Amino acid sequence: QLQASGGGLVQPSGSLTLSCAASSGFILNDYSIGWFRQAPGKEREGVSCISTRGGGTSTADSVKGRFTISRDKNTAYLQMSSLKPEDSAVYYCAASRRQLGARQLCREPSLFANWGQGTLVTVSS
């Protein structure tokens, strides 16, 4: 129901925009959205989330000021700039019906019932 895209190979300090599209009948605007990432050997990490409860957002300290989450009716986006090698990971978008704040959502991937397949971001020169 969710399709993430936009990953690829980018040089350090470069930019990428990830997209998360919902399939027909799945109204993304009805859900809180999270972008998570997982690097090899590491746990899945909440990168940025946007809640349906007031539209609040939360962004991990490690990417604050560089990554921006946004959405429209059927697509969510993660704009990434000033990319660093440590940003390399598989990035996943996820959707949740839970009416919780964005910070809590980003801390608990288990709150998200719907996941996209992941898109690989590699930051390397």
Side-chain angles (χ1 to χ4, degrees), residues 45-105:
E45 170 193 21
V47 175
S48 192
C49 296
I50 184 166
S51 173
T52 53
R53 195 175 79 175
T57 62
S58 178
T59 303
D61 289 343
S62 58
V63 304
K64 198 164 290 184
R66 301 188 295 120
F67 290 14
T68 303
I69 189 172
S70 62
R71 66 189 299 167
D72 57 30
K73 182 179 180 182
N74 282 324
T75 307
Y77 305 94
L78 185 68
Q79 294 175 280
M80 308 185 294
S81 62
S82 302
L83 283 161
K84 304 175 181 180
E86 52 263 44
D87 295 319
S88 298
V90 177
Y91 283 72
Y92 300 89
C93 62
S96 173
R97 284 276 199 185
R98 300 294 296 272
Q99 296 293 316
L100 298 168
R103 180 177 293 185
Q104 182 176 1
L105 287 166

Side-chain angles (χ1 to χ4, degrees), residues 25-38:
F26 192 98
I27 308 300
L28 210 57
N29 236 12
D30 293 341
Y31 295 77
S32 295
I33 299 299
W35 283 99
F36 296 83
R37 68 185 181 185
Q38 189 164 21

